[in-house]
Structures are given as C-alpha cells and as structure tokens.
Amino acid sequence: MYLYATSVRPGPANPTRVMEWAVGMTQKINQISEVPTALWVTSMSPGMGTLAFVAVVDDLAQIEATEDKLASDPGYGTLVEQGLGLLSSDPVDQRLLQIVHADPDAANIDARYATTVVATLKPGAMAAGTELGVDIAQRVKKLTGRPTSFAVAMTGVYGQVSWMSLAENIDQLQAAGEAMGADAGFTKLLDSKVPSAYQPDAIQTVSRKVI
C-alpha cells in the first residue's frame, strides 16, 4: 500500500480563488481516478497554506493509470493552466511513501485533521529504525486512541520516514498531543531509542482536510 501526495504552494492571488481552484481540481481528479483523492491544507505549521492532493493506492499501476487519464482530459488541462496564475513559482512537490504499518482504523473514521512527523533514518539504522517506527506508531495509537500509520519514503530524501496520526476534530487533535506529552513511558522511549535511529531534524506538521 502506498500514499501518493502532490503539494503546491498558493501564490499572492486571492485565497478564496485559490481554494475554489483546489476544490475544483480535487473534484476533477476524483471524476477520473480509480481511487479517491482528498485535499488537505497545512495549518498551524511550517509551510502554512500548502495544498496537498493525497491518495492511498494499492499499487503503483493505479497511479500510472490515473496520470495517463488526467493527461488526456481537456478539463484537467484547463485547470492546470488556471493554476499557473494562482500558485507560487515553487516546484510542484510529489511524494510517494510505502505504508509499512497501516492502521486499520484509519479508514473507519471521518478524519478532518492529520498530524505528520517526518524524520530521516541514520546510516546503518534502516532495519532498526523501521522497526522502531512501527513500535512508535502502535504506542501512539494505544496512548491516544487515534489511528496512526508509519511509512517509508520511496522518493525524495533517502531514508525519510513518516508517522501519520488522524483525528476527527480539533479537540481530539489537542487531546492526543497532551496524552503523549504527559506519558513518562513514551517520553522515555523517545529519549532512549530515537537518537540512535533517526537524524536530529524531525519536523511535525498539522493538516486540515478540505474535501
């Protein structure tokens, strides 16, 4: 199972127009794609306002099939042209992650918020860091009750990994963060095992689902 995300940065255009365009793009993708795509926006975090079109697929052939269909659709081409006047000149950022630990409850809730922690494995810690990543995801789920998955990057920074925890509302988001911060056992685990497995440059962001 894979997570496929395409991220863009809004330009100086009216935010309402940018969001209308992004919603329209999501709807167009879902008209064509074999798998659902959701629109998320980064909130309360570095890169605030970044828009991400996110899909979970069973195999890479589904991505290829969708991209082929989009490339031949005139309506999609028109939306791409409209986006040129609404988005920043930053390169489009695409990420492909292999989901190593997929929380089965992730598909059973109406997730409106996602907390993502991105870290990079240290050289020589590929196996141990991946195993620890799954353990951390399971402990977060046990502590917070929030579905939490763990994935390894297939493109981009080699050795990059991600934890993704979902919440149905902002109250659950807040409660989850407080639960992890208050648990001495979880903090001890992070202090004792994380430094040997991951680079000291992890980044945590929060995203809010638009559609």
Side-chain angles (χ1 to χ4, degrees):
M1 185 179 292
Y2 299 87
L3 186 147
Y4 180 55
T6 301
S7 300
V8 295
R9 291 279 295 162
N14 184 298
T16 300
R17 289 181 58 207
V18 173
M19 192 59 69
E20 289 175 348
W21 170 86
V23 169
M25 177 63 82
T26 307
Q27 292 170 336
K28 170 56 71 174
I29 294 171
N30 282 323
Q31 288 174 4
I32 297 172
S33 176
E34 298 177 0
V35 293
T37 292
L39 173 63
W40 294 80
V41 59
T42 304
S43 175
M44 303 178 285
S45 306
M48 185 186 74
T50 299
L51 299 164
F53 305 93
V54 182
V56 176
V57 301
D58 292 326
D59 53 57
L60 301 186
Q62 291 179 314
I63 297 175
E64 181 183 58
T66 297
E67 290 185 340
D68 288 346
K69 291 177 182 178
L70 290 173
S72 62
D73 186 276
Y76 176 76
T78 298
L79 284 167
V80 171
E81 291 179 359
Q82 291 175 355
L84 295 176
L86 298 172
L87 303 175
S88 76
S89 59
D90 295 344
V92 175
D93 181 24
Q94 288 194 326
R95 297 186 68 205
L96 178 66
L97 297 87
Q98 183 175 17
I99 303 177
V100 178
H101 170 69
D103 192 311
D105 291 333
N108 300 327
I109 68 169
D110 181 19
R112 309 307 300 178
Y113 284 90
T115 300
T116 302
V117 177
V118 178
T120 305
L121 294 163
K122 282 188 171 181
M126 186 71 70
T130 301
E131 182 178 348
L132 176 60
V134 173
D135 183 31
I136 290 174
Q138 293 172 333
R139 287 173 182 262
V140 169
K141 169 68 173 297
K142 186 175 180 179
L143 275 173
T144 67
R146 300 293 88 225
T148 304
S149 299
F150 174 72
V152 176
M154 302 296 291
T155 59
V157 177
Y158 187 77
Q160 198 170 78
V161 297
S162 299
W163 293 265
M164 297 153 289
S165 187
L166 303 177
E168 295 170 291
N169 52 59
I170 199 165
D171 292 332
Q172 290 181 353
L173 179 76
Q174 178 177 331
E178 292 173 351
M180 286 187 289
D183 190 275
F186 183 69
T187 302
K188 184 177 181 180
L189 170 72
L190 298 183
D191 287 342
S192 62
K193 294 189 176 182
V194 165
S196 62
Y198 308 110
Q199 303 282 3
D201 57 355
I203 297 177
Q204 179 168 297
T205 58
V206 172
S207 299
R208 186 176 184 181
K209 188 177 180 180
V210 179
I211 182 176

